[in-house]
């Protein structure tokens, strides 16, 4: 009978989940290459057992695959989507409350970034920052995955803020894989030419067509070896709760900046139990392609 006294966090989270799925503002394309639309990877409330109360908080995290947008732009798009979904959600509840003659006072949902929230509690009490650092260090040794560590740290920072909500706190929850592509420097151009010449040679010797794309549509270690914009690391670090302990801090996170391409096997369902590769290409065509690339890169100009 008390449901009209306040809405549950899970209901608000559901509205945000629907708004964020495949959000156009976070679905980039380069020519005919499209990045993956943002998709919800996990969602859990703070309840540990069954009862008939509404959950006070819900944790959600998404996978976002982008070509060019920087972390600040990602958080801005997320915040806009969150504000839009919260406004529409609250307006709907207002109408339903009026229809039920419940007189519920819905109010507004506040948006705040983790970086801002952490700075706020640090100003409030200098001991808070040290306490959060100690807590992050404890979680780093706990065996918990990164999103769960970030959830617990965020929850603690929120509690220390003394805020009551309703609110949506935004940030990053895992390791970033920076977008990379070959640069226009001499070494990058040399590697690109080597790839194109090797492809032409392979296609002359086989009936297989090989094409290049600017961005690999998946997760790859090229993000750590290739040529990426490192200027975004500071913004990522400031908004990732577990960054200082688990990810080593911004000073230790670096990209090698080496011209790098991903020339690998062709297959299906990578990174799953059903991962498989095309044997004909993997053992018949790919070795020659790799040899051709390496030979051309190492040969004198």
């Amino acid at each position: 009978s008390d449901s009209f006294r306040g809405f549950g966090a899970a209901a608000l989270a559901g509205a945000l989940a629907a708004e964020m799925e495949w959000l156009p503002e976070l679905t980039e394309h380069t020519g005919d290459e499209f990045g993956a639309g943002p998709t919800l990877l996990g969602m859990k409330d703070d309840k540990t057992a069954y009862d008939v109360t509404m959950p006070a908080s819900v944790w959600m995290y998404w996978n976002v695959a982008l070509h060019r947008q920087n972390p600040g732009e990602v958080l801005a798009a997320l915040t806009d989507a969150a504000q839009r979904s919260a406004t529409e959600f609250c307006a709907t509840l207002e109408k339903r409350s009026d229809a039920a003659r419940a007189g519920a006072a819905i109010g507004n949902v506040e948006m705040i970034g983790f970086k801002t929230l952490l700075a706020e509690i640090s100003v409030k009490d200098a001991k808070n920052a040290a306490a959060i650092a100690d807590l992050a260090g404890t979680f780093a040794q706990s065996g918990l995955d990164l999103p769960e560590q970030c959830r617990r740290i965020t929850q603690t920072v929120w509690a220390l803020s003394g805020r009551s909500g309703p609110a949506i706190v935004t940030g990053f929850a895992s390791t970033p894989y920076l977008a990379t592509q070959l640069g226009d420097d001499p070494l990058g151009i040399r590697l690109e030419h080597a790839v194109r010449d090797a492809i032409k040679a392979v296609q002359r010797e086989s009936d297989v067509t090989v094409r290049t794309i600017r961005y690999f549509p998946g997760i790859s270690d090229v993000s750590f070896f290739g040529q990426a914009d490192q200027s975004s690391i500071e913004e990522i670090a400031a908004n990732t709760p577990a960054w200082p302990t688990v990810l080593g801090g911004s000073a230790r996170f670096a990209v090698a900046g080496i011209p790098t391409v991903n020339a690998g096997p062709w297959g299906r369902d990578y990174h799953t139990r059903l991962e498989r590769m095309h044997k004909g290409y993997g053992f018949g065509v790919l070795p020659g392609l790799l040899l051709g690339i390496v030979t051309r890169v190492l040969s004198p100009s």
Side-chain angles (χ1 to χ4, degrees):
S1 63
D2 284 341
S3 66
F4 288 113
R5 290 177 60 189
F7 60 84
L12 176 62
L16 177 54
E19 180 67 24
M20 274 291 294
E21 199 71 8
W22 302 351
L23 186 71
E25 293 88 336
L26 290 176
T27 305
E28 285 190 339
H29 64 91
T30 301
D32 61 352
E33 295 177 37
F34 280 81
T39 190
L40 185 63
L41 298 184
M43 183 175 181
K44 62 187 296 185
D45 62 46
D46 61 355
K47 295 175 65 171
T48 59
Y50 169 75
D51 59 40
V52 294
T53 61
M54 295 178 288
S57 66
V58 172
W59 172 256
M60 312 163 71
Y61 58 100
W62 291 263
N63 180 70
V64 180
L66 299 167
H67 296 169
R68 293 173 302 279
Q69 290 190 63
N70 63 47
E73 292 170 327
V74 173
L75 288 178
L78 169 61
T79 301
D80 287 346
Q83 185 67 76
R84 189 165 55 246
S85 64
T87 299
E88 293 175 358
F89 172 75
C90 290
T92 297
L93 289 191
E94 288 278 7
K95 292 178 181 178
R96 293 176 179 176
S97 172
D98 292 343
R101 299 178 183 177
I106 304 302
N108 298 316
V109 178
E110 183 180 9
M111 306 292 148
I112 186 169
F114 176 81
K115 177 175 69 173
T116 301
L117 194 64
L118 183 61
E120 184 179 290
I121 69 164
S122 299
V123 171
K124 185 177 180 181
D125 188 337
K127 296 180 181 179
N128 284 338
I132 293 301
D134 290 342
L135 183 65
T138 300
F139 289 148
Q141 305 299 321
S142 66
L144 298 171
D145 61 41
L146 284 178
E148 179 61 17
Q149 291 183 46
C150 289
R151 181 186 77 84
R152 297 190 183 195
I153 295 170
T154 301
Q155 199 166 37
T156 302
V157 171
W158 174 261
L160 289 172
S161 74
R163 292 170 175 266
S164 61
I168 295 176
V169 181
T170 58
F172 298 115
S174 190
T175 308
Y177 284 77
L178 301 181
T180 65
Q181 62 176 327
L182 288 178
D184 55 4
D185 57 292
L187 292 177
I189 293 172
R190 180 182 179 87
L191 178 55
E192 185 168 357
H193 287 169
V195 170
R196 297 191 184 282
D197 291 344
I199 286 175
K200 291 177 181 178
V202 164
Q203 292 183 150
R204 285 195 300 267
E205 298 167 3
S206 68
D207 60 353
V208 174
T209 298
V210 179
R211 71 183 184 94
T212 61
I213 55 177
R214 301 305 299 181
Y215 295 96
F216 174 63
I219 295 173
S220 170
D221 289 339
V222 171
S223 291
F224 302 101
F225 289 100
Q227 296 171 294
D229 181 6
Q230 298 184 57
S231 64
S232 62
I233 296 298
E234 184 177 351
E235 184 71 12
I236 295 172
N239 283 285
T240 305
W243 186 276
T245 54
V246 177
L247 301 176
S250 57
R252 289 175 50 193
F253 188 94
V255 178
I258 302 170
T260 311
V261 294
N262 189 345
W266 180 83
R268 298 288 190 192
D269 299 326
Y270 38 83
H271 298 308
T272 74
R273 291 184 296 173
L274 298 178
E275 183 176 34
R276 55 204 185 275
M277 62 176 283
H278 189 282
K279 291 193 297 182
Y281 179 80
F283 297 109
V285 177
L286 183 59
L289 176 61
L290 291 174
L291 180 61
I293 295 172
V294 172
T295 300
R296 288 169 172 80
V297 169
L298 298 180
S299 296
S301 300

